[in-house]
Amino acid sequence: MSRHAELAARFGTPLYIYDLDEIEAARRELFDALPEEFELFYALKANPHPEVARATRDGGGRACRAEISSTGELGAALAAGFRAGDCLYTGPGKTATELREAIGLGVRMFSTDSVTDVRHVGEAARAQGVVADCLLRINSASASATTSIRMTGTPSQFGFDSETLADVLPEVRAVEGVRVAGMHFFPLSNAKDESSLIGEFQHTIELAAALARDLDLPLRVLDIGGGFTVPYAVPGERGRYPKLRGELEAALDVHLPHWRTGRPWLACESGRYLVGASGTLVAGVTNVKVSRGRKFVILDAGINTLGGMSGLGRLLPVAVRPSDGSAVESASLVGPLCTPGDILGREIELPELAPGDLVTIPNAGAYGVTASLLMFLGRPAPVEVIVRGDQIVSASRIEPRRSYSL
């Protein structure tokens, strides 16, 4: 019996398995790919499980800080051992309640997306008698990479538009309770190749230097974002970046010549790269049926378990091809939900499966259970098992809870 089958027999399916050794290996590789002066934020949105997050900072070597976008993620970060003062709080819709809680717990650095956002941070900071550092997130008017998931260069709720930043800076500078500490960029996600990522980072560094110079903007901190890639729920390896360090150093030498002495303090961020390859989703086949000549393999895991935030009907070809060369057939792999959108793969090649068989989906450590339609139809959440090699570290399940207010 395979290790996955053993864990499925013990804990049931659907089941997520996260390997801490894999997370620590990804962390080492990414730090090695960056100049030594760079800090690295782990984006908890990828997977906020405290033990997954803890593996990005513990285990020896250089440790990540935490990038969070809610007080829930802040709680997970604190549970994982991160200091609130080392967290970067992001997101375009921060409420007064969450800002009050975050600042009260010790968060002092916020990425801000608008004048109103800066004012909200300032109001919360003044109410507690502190000053918060604000990074201005920049939505560049242009971009370098033409592939990957674009996060800049278009109208967006994220960031100050670079071409109108000068017009709103007087309002930003007038806000009490905050100080502008620098800039935050996140131009793309899941870059398709190293050259795309390097090109975007080069563009970001050049633009940050120009804005700091032309608008007399403080640049004590510069977060150039992420975009490091790992396959999502399909076979494959993490991206490799052998040229990245040298190209970043060259661009920084040209545009920010004092960077090696900490001016500015430099950072990148990553979610999926650090944890994506650590996770495997194990699902059970509950039924196989034929409808009008098409075969459907029905699992106990669907979009309520894997990546529902990616949109109903997103096709995810999964790793179910057997390694022994046995026969395959064309069928649709679907979940258990009462919606025709619960499809994990339409007309894909599958082994001949029967009720009781197991299907394993690799590279599911990021944007899995907590990015899914977890509450839809009230089905139980999958168990999440943390392993290190052959050792089981923990097993837990997220349980919904309703709170009543009088």
Side-chain angles (χ1 to χ4, degrees), residues 184-272:
H184 176 204
F185 293 77
F186 200 91
L188 82 168
S189 179
N190 210 21
K192 297 300 182 184
D193 51 54
E194 185 182 30
S195 62
S196 296
L197 185 68
I198 289 172
E200 205 61 65
F201 282 158
Q202 289 170 332
H203 174 73
T204 291
I205 291 166
E206 181 178 3
L207 177 58
L211 290 173
R213 179 187 65 247
D214 297 343
L215 303 182
D216 193 26
L217 265 175
L219 193 58
R220 291 190 293 108
V221 178
L222 174 59
D223 182 343
I224 65 173
F228 310 102
T229 187
V230 70
Y232 179 49
V234 295
E237 303 295 325
R238 288 189 300 273
R240 297 290 185 264
Y241 303 104
K243 300 178 182 178
L244 179 60
R245 177 187 284 233
E247 294 291 349
L248 282 177
E249 290 174 343
L252 289 164
D253 284 340
V254 171
H255 299 291
L256 296 169
H258 302 292
W259 70 277
R260 295 179 190 271
T261 59
R263 295 181 293 159
W265 184 89
L266 294 162
C268 281
E269 59 196 78
S270 176
R272 74 176 76 230

Side-chain angles (χ1 to χ4, degrees), residues 34-378:
L34 294 168
E36 189 172 344
E37 290 80 1
F38 270 73
E39 297 285 347
L40 183 60
F41 286 98
Y42 170 56
L44 267 79
K45 63 177 67 68
N47 189 328
H49 193 298
E51 292 185 67
V52 169
R54 186 177 296 117
T56 69
R57 61 177 296 276
D58 290 348
R62 299 171 66 187
C64 293
R65 298 172 183 245
E67 185 262 303
I68 55 176
S69 297
S70 70
T71 51
E73 288 185 350
L74 173 56
L78 295 177
F82 292 94
R83 294 178 57 254
D86 288 335
C87 293
L88 171 63
Y89 202 116
T90 69
K94 309 174 193 71
T95 68
T97 299
E98 66 184 276
L99 286 170
R100 181 169 59 249
E101 181 177 348
I103 291 173
L105 288 170
V107 178
R108 292 294 181 269
M109 185 178 293
F110 296 84
S111 174
T112 53
D113 297 86
S114 64
V115 174
T116 304
D117 198 18
V118 176
R119 287 173 178 158
H120 288 166
V121 174
E123 289 168 5
R126 290 198 309 275
Q128 300 193 45
V130 301
V131 175
D133 284 330
C134 283
L135 304 184
L136 306 184
R137 178 163 173 171
I138 306 299
N139 180 11
S140 173
S142 59
S144 171
T146 57
T147 60
S148 314
I149 302 173
R150 299 282 346 132
M151 297 289 288
T152 193
T154 61
S156 173
Q157 70 269 44
F158 299 112
F160 291 83
D161 294 339
S162 60
E163 67 275 23
T164 60
L165 181 58
D167 299 331
V168 300
L169 269 182
E171 296 178 76
V172 170
R173 289 185 167 120
V175 177
E176 297 179 357
V178 303
R179 60 189 167 204
V180 177
M183 287 177 254
H184 176 204
F185 293 77
F186 200 91
L188 82 168
S189 179
N190 210 21
K192 297 300 182 184
D193 51 54
E194 185 182 30
S195 62
S196 296
L197 185 68
I198 289 172
E200 205 61 65
F201 282 158
Q202 289 170 332
H203 174 73
T204 291
I205 291 166
E206 181 178 3
L207 177 58
L211 290 173
R213 179 187 65 247
D214 297 343
L215 303 182
D216 193 26
L217 265 175
L219 193 58
R220 291 190 293 108
V221 178
L222 174 59
D223 182 343
I224 65 173
F228 310 102
T229 187
V230 70
Y232 179 49
V234 295
E237 303 295 325
R238 288 189 300 273
R240 297 290 185 264
Y241 303 104
K243 300 178 182 178
L244 179 60
R245 177 187 284 233
E247 294 291 349
L248 282 177
E249 290 174 343
L252 289 164
D253 284 340
V254 171
H255 299 291
L256 296 169
H258 302 292
W259 70 277
R260 295 179 190 271
T261 59
R263 295 181 293 159
W265 184 89
L266 294 162
C268 281
E269 59 196 78
S270 176
R272 74 176 76 230
Y273 184 93
L274 290 170
V275 302
S278 74
T280 300
L281 172 60
V282 183
V285 178
T286 61
N287 196 10
V288 178
K289 63 162 292 187
V290 176
S291 174
R292 293 178 175 146
R294 289 179 54 195
K295 180 171 282 190
F296 293 83
V297 176
I298 303 169
L299 304 180
D300 56 11
I303 56 175
N304 62 317
T305 302
L306 177 66
M309 84 165 186
S310 300
L312 299 179
R314 178 185 172 103
L315 303 182
L316 299 173
V318 297
V320 297
R321 184 188 296 274
S323 59
D324 58 7
S326 58
V328 297
E329 60 182 0
S330 178
S332 292
L333 199 65
V334 303
L337 305 184
C338 298
T339 169
D342 193 13
I343 301 172
L344 297 182
R346 182 179 283 117
E347 293 297 313
I348 61 175
E349 286 191 341
L350 299 170
E352 294 180 354
L353 295 166
D357 288 343
L358 295 178
V359 165
T360 59
I361 300 174
N363 291 318
Y367 302 107
V369 58
T370 53
S372 66
L373 300 179
L374 193 58
M375 291 287 289
F376 190 42
L377 288 178

Side-chain angles (χ1 to χ4, degrees), residues 9-31:
R10 177 172 175 179
F11 296 105
T13 58
L15 172 71
Y16 275 95
I17 304 166
Y18 306 124
D19 188 336
L20 299 182
D21 289 338
E22 177 64 30
I23 297 172
E24 291 171 8
R27 183 185 70 184
R28 287 194 300 270
E29 289 176 18
L30 191 49
F31 268 119

